[in-house]
């Protein structure tokens, strides 16, 4: 089912990121997904997140699809040229995948194979264009396909970008290239997010706000220093510092952010970073069910 | 210009371990300007080689010479008479100089004394920066004169990735995010509309696809 079908029905959409295994044992991957099966609408299966080598998103998505869970196929520009990217999109369609999140991808230098060649044959805007063209029945070179795939394409946006004007120029290009929904970088500052959503209005495209589950004050400070567009307010960091029950505090923080922003966006996208078991608690506290 | 960096002496010593007499050949152009392969560096590396080999009890005879440009055969003709009396040449030119010597003096081995690193310009004294990747399809007219192919770590064409922080690259905080610079430059020029255009996927074709490129100008041929 396409994610846009949910947006069209004014459903507040919930998704959670899930990482394929580093290895061939898929038990934990399946168990994690099963545990959230009736809690979120979609599973966003990561594509070598952080440029760290894992099993592929395509296989992860297919496994979930076969178990009647709805995946979002994440596809990064980093590792494949335009032939491989288009091929993977066709393979995804053949496997029944309908939702694709197209991202640039972190540079290999940041991952576990820092000496790998970075490909970036296409950027995210160009890959959105290529995917749109496939849907029209031709590949990038103009060759006809024997049957066109049908996708709902999504893209990423960073509400906390250094230069929001520049970020929004790119959003505009992504929309023109075929993006039908956006997922955001982690939101910690509802006020800033609201300002961002005001500026997103002109694109009339659904936005799912990213929620990262905080594990510690150390993690918050690390993200503030190292991760683009993340600004965890000092007050939240202090709460994580003082608490004796980090998981509970983290749930409270995430739920409170969601309550503050839910009327401004069309969905929530969780990035649990291993604390997937907290997602149901956050949803409960935030009063969200599917 | 072409920027190079001298190889570590240890590596050069290993290349010529079996040689008794070598030429150290400098190049008077790009690599001289970036202080890697000109006359001065020839003197330094020749002295270091002599000293190191003497200390090892296996002295080496080193002839020093610097030509104007090692990439052109007219200039390397100057060392023609020296070649027969030497076991090897250590070229302190860029890789093009090494290959030009190899082509014209095939019976003598030419070793690279430099690592040819990139095409760039001096940012300040002692600091060189890559500014062009010789991609064969210049788009500087659309980007305010700043090259995203060479200066964006992902060579993106439609704006920054999500990793740019404090106007710096996600790969290294010493690298300026060129898309932030392009944005400022186009704004200054009142040409931000250029940034709103979707730049198509690069047509690499024969220009930038791994195979050796060639320019033929019949009007310039003799």
């Amino acid at each position: 089912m396409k994610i846009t079908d949910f947006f069209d029905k004014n459903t507040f959409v919930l998704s959670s990121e899930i990482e394929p295994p580093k290895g061939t044992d898929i038990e934990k991957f399946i168990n994690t997904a099963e545990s959230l099966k009736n809690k979120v609408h979609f599973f966003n299966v990561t594509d070598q997140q952080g440029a760290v080598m894992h099993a592929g998103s395509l296989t992860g998505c297919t496994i979930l699809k076969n178990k009647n869970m709805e995946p979002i196929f994440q596809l990064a520009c980093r590792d494949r040229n335009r032939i491989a990217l288009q091929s993977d999109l066709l393979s995804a369609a053949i496997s029944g995948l309908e939702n694709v999140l197209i991202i640039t991808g972190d540079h290999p230098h940041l991952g576990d194979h820092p000496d790998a060649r970075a490909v970036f044959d296409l950027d995210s805007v160009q890959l959105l264009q290529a995917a749109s063209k496939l849907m029209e029945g031709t590949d990038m070179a103009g060759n006809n396909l024997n049957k066109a795939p049908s996708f709902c394409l999504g893209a990423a946006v960073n509400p906390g970008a250094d230069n929001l004007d520049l970020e929004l120029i790119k959003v505009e290009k992504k929309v023109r290239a075929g993006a039908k929904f956006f997922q955001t970088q982690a939101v910690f500052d509802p006020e800033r997010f609201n300002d961002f959503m005001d500026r997103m209005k002109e694109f009339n495209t659904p936005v799912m706000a990213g929620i990262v589950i905080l594990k510690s004050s150390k993690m918050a400070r690390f993200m503030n220093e190292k991760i683009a567009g993340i600004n965890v307010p000092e007050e939240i960091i202090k709460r994580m510092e003082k608490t004796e029950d980090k998981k509970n505090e983290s749930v409270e923080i995430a739920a409170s952010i969601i309550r503050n922003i839910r009327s401004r966006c069309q969905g929530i996208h969780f990035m649990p970073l291993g604390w997937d078991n907290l997602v149901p608690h956050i949803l409960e506290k935030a009063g969200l069910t599917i | 210009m072409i920027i190079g960096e001298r190889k570590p002496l240890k590596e050069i010593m290993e290349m010529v371990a079996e040689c008794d007499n070598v030429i150290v050949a400098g190049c008077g152009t790009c690599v001289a300007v970036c202080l890697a392969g000109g006359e001065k560096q020839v003197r330094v590396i020749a002295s270091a080689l002599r000293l190191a080999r003497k200390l090892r009890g296996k002295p080496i005879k080193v002839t020093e010479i610097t030509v104007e440009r090692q990439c052109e055969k007219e200039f390397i003709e100057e060392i023609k008479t020296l070649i027969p009396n030497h076991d090897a040449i250590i070229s302190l030119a860029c890789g093009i100089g090494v290959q030009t010597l190899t082509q014209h003096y095939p019976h003598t081995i030419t070793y690279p004394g430099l690592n040819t690193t990139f095409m760039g310009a001096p940012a300040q004294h002692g600091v060189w920066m890559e500014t062009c990747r010789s991609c064969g399809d210049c788009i500087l007219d659309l980007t305010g004169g700043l090259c995203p192919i060479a200066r964006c770590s992902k060579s993106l064409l439609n704006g920054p990735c999500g990793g740019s922080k404090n106007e710096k690259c996600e790969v290294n905080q010493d690298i300026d995010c060129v898309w932030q610079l392009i944005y400022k430059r186009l704004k200054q020029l009142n040409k931000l509309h250029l940034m709103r255009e979707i730049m198509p996927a690069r047509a690499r074709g024969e220009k930038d696809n791994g195979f050796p490129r060639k320019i033929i100008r019949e009007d310039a041929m003799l």
Side-chain angles (χ1 to χ4, degrees), chain B residues 124-197:
Chain B
Q124 61 185 77
H125 285 291
V127 178
W128 289 271
M129 245 181 76
E130 181 168 24
T131 48
C132 173
R133 202 153 284 168
S134 177
C135 72
D137 188 12
C138 196
I139 52 161
L140 289 170
D141 54 324
L142 303 174
T143 56
L146 297 145
C147 180
I149 305 288
R151 297 175 64 177
C152 164
S153 299
K154 299 174 184 174
S155 294
L156 303 181
L157 287 178
N158 281 296
C161 67
S164 156
K165 190 174 173 73
N166 301 326
E167 303 191 355
K168 300 290 179 185
C169 177
E170 72 175 22
V171 169
N172 183 330
Q173 289 291 298
D174 290 335
I175 302 169
D176 287 322
C177 170
V178 77
W179 275 106
Q180 304 286 347
L181 299 177
I182 292 170
Y183 173 81
K184 283 185 190 164
R185 177 76 181 136
L186 290 176
K187 200 170 177 187
Q188 180 190 39
L189 295 171
N190 213 11
K191 287 190 173 208
L192 262 185
H193 64 276
L194 290 174
M195 211 159 170
R196 295 205 151 83
E197 295 298 318

Side-chain angles (χ1 to χ4, degrees), chain B residues 52-124:
Chain B
R53 286 284 292 263
K54 199 174 170 186
L55 287 173
R56 287 186 188 183
K58 195 184 177 214
I60 187 167
K61 193 173 154 256
V62 183
T63 304
E64 301 171 27
I65 186 149
T66 300
V67 300
E68 185 63 25
R69 284 203 289 279
Q70 278 191 31
C71 53
E72 292 188 52
K73 72 173 182 188
E74 286 77 11
F75 289 101
I76 59 168
E77 283 280 321
E78 285 176 40
I79 65 169
K80 192 174 182 180
T81 53
L82 293 174
I83 304 291
N85 309 317
H86 293 84
D87 305 326
I89 308 165
I90 299 166
S91 166
L92 294 193
C94 70
I96 305 165
V98 176
Q99 294 183 69
T100 310
L101 287 171
T102 301
Q103 188 185 347
H104 290 280
Y105 303 119
H107 301 295
T108 304
I109 192 154
T110 299
Y111 292 117
L114 296 188
N115 289 321
T116 310
T117 36
F118 51 76
M119 284 162 67
Q124 61 185 77

Side-chain angles (χ1 to χ4, degrees), chain A residues 82 104-107 109-110 118 120-123 125-126 129 140 158 162-163 165-167 169-170 172-173 176-177 185 223-230, chain B residues 153-168 170-173 179-180 183-184 187 192 194-204:
Chain A
R82 63 192 77 180
T104 305
D106 295 316
H107 197 281
H109 192 71
L110 308 177
F120 300 111
D121 184 25
L122 302 180
D123 63 27
V125 174
Q126 293 158 351
Q129 277 185 321
M140 281 182 77
N158 192 344
D162 281 351
N163 182 337
D165 291 338
L166 177 50
E167 184 75 4
I169 289 176
K170 199 154 184 189
E172 185 192 324
K173 287 184 177 188
R176 272 161 48 209
Q185 178 58 287
M223 290 196 303
N224 278 351
E225 195 193 329
K226 303 275 185 195
I227 314 288
I230 294 195
Chain B
S153 299
K154 299 174 184 174
S155 294
L156 303 181
L157 287 178
N158 281 296
C161 67
S164 156
K165 190 174 173 73
N166 301 326
E167 303 191 355
K168 300 290 179 185
E170 72 175 22
V171 169
N172 183 330
Q173 289 291 298
W179 275 106
Q180 304 286 347
Y183 173 81
K184 283 185 190 164
K187 200 170 177 187
L192 262 185
L194 290 174
M195 211 159 170
R196 295 205 151 83
E197 295 298 318
I198 294 181
M199 276 211 225
R202 282 164 56 71
R204 290 187 166 84

Side-chain angles (χ1 to χ4, degrees), chain B residues 40-55:
Chain B
K40 270 189 189 171
Q41 291 75 41
V42 167
R43 269 208 304 278
V44 171
I45 195 110
S47 306
L49 261 179
R50 285 187 201 107
L51 190 63
R53 286 284 292 263
K54 199 174 170 186
L55 287 173

Side-chain angles (χ1 to χ4, degrees), chain B residues 20-35:
Chain B
D20 297 321
N21 49 55
V22 298
I23 299 168
V24 174
C27 182
T29 320
C30 311
V31 292
V33 180
C34 70
L35 312 178

